[in-house]
Amino acid sequence: MTKFKRSILAAAVLATGGTGALVATSTATAEFSGNITIASDYELRGFSETGGDAAIQGGFDYGHSSGFYVGTWASNLAGDGDPDPSYELDLYAGFADELANGLGYDVGYVYYFYPDADLDVGFGEIYGELSYDMFYGGVKVVVNEESDQELFESGSAYYYAGLDVPFADVYSAGFMVGHQTFDGDADSYEHYHASLSRHTESMGTFSMNLAYADVSGEDVRAYVAWSLDF
């Protein structure tokens, strides 16, 4: 989704990093960059944020050679603003780099805004991720919230680990498992995500995705997506 998250469209060396995801190597050399995604669903941690409808998403980033980056990302949502939000706007900043031994890291803060919602649902997370070769893992913890919703309470955390495997030059396969905990009374759950991506030089990345949240009544979500970095 955003720079700090490992993307559902991530290539073997992810440039968008994380729930996607981000690979630290892109930030060290980048200056200004942008991205756009068109997907048949906006899936986040096993749940649809668009009610199963299509999503148009995109963002802009600035990365300094020191490893510092800052950016913004947005997507449409299922609501119409009255009272549920019709779009999400994320602002984030962090540091990412790769050490000489190949170990990458990405740490930062993101705030999720829902500007047109009649409900108070904004919240912020700190995040940290380590990556090595095709493997990665990290945690995201809610540290502040302006929400009356139990799920957004400070202390709620999402832990994840996965791998992205490139093959045949232009393909990559990925698998991730996550565990969501809540500081309130809501039950924790597991989240699983698998993807198959085809990367092209001029037309971006195409992917097929499957996601599942281990919550009563939730089914496997299947969706396709296309993304382009510029």
Side-chain angles (χ1 to χ4, degrees):
M1 290 199 343
T2 55
K3 184 173 185 63
F4 59 93
K5 298 178 183 174
R6 187 159 296 273
S7 169
I8 58 173
L9 306 169
V13 198
L14 312 195
T16 53
T19 205
L22 289 194
V23 178
T25 52
S26 64
T27 346
T29 57
E31 290 186 356
F32 288 100
S33 61
N35 60 86
I36 184 172
T37 296
I38 299 175
S40 61
D41 193 359
Y42 172 11
E43 178 264 325
L44 178 64
R45 303 179 192 181
F47 296 91
S48 175
E49 300 293 289
T50 52
D53 293 335
I56 300 177
Q57 308 165 334
F60 296 94
D61 301 292
Y62 172 76
H64 189 264
S65 58
S66 65
F68 171 76
Y69 63 85
V70 61
T72 183
W73 183 89
S75 175
N76 62 290
L77 299 176
D80 58 7
D82 183 22
D84 297 326
S86 64
Y87 70 100
E88 170 189 335
L89 176 63
D90 303 341
L91 300 178
Y92 52 88
F95 285 88
D97 206 347
E98 184 175 292
L99 306 180
N101 61 5
L103 180 67
Y105 66 88
D106 186 0
V107 294
Y109 172 82
V110 55
Y111 194 87
Y112 302 85
F113 290 94
Y114 303 90
D116 68 342
D118 285 347
L119 302 173
D120 293 327
V121 291
F123 66 101
E125 287 181 325
I126 57 172
Y127 56 89
E129 178 177 295
L130 293 176
S131 60
Y132 184 79
D133 194 19
M134 66 181 68
F135 303 98
Y136 63 90
V139 60
K140 301 167 185 175
V141 181
V142 177
V143 292
N144 63 292
E145 40 83 20
E146 301 175 8
S147 173
D148 298 327
Q149 306 295 311
E150 180 182 68
L151 300 185
F152 300 104
E153 288 185 356
S154 298
S156 299
Y158 183 69
Y159 306 88
Y160 63 94
L163 73 163
D164 289 284
V165 184
F167 63 95
D169 294 330
V170 296
Y171 292 94
S172 65
F175 179 77
M176 187 191 75
V177 58
H179 178 71
Q180 178 71 61
T181 66
F182 300 103
D183 195 52
D185 295 330
D187 294 333
S188 61
Y189 71 91
E190 277 67 50
H191 163 227
Y192 306 92
H193 184 271
S195 64
L196 176 64
S197 300
R198 168 67 159 89
H199 316 289
T200 70
E201 289 290 337
S202 59
M203 297 183 62
T205 299
F206 300 85
S207 73
M208 297 182 293
N209 304 269
L210 292 174
Y212 174 71
D214 187 18
V215 178
S216 177
E218 284 301 310
D219 298 323
V220 173
R221 309 206 66 83
Y223 57 98
V224 296
W226 166 82
S227 70
L228 179 67
D229 296 324
F230 54 88

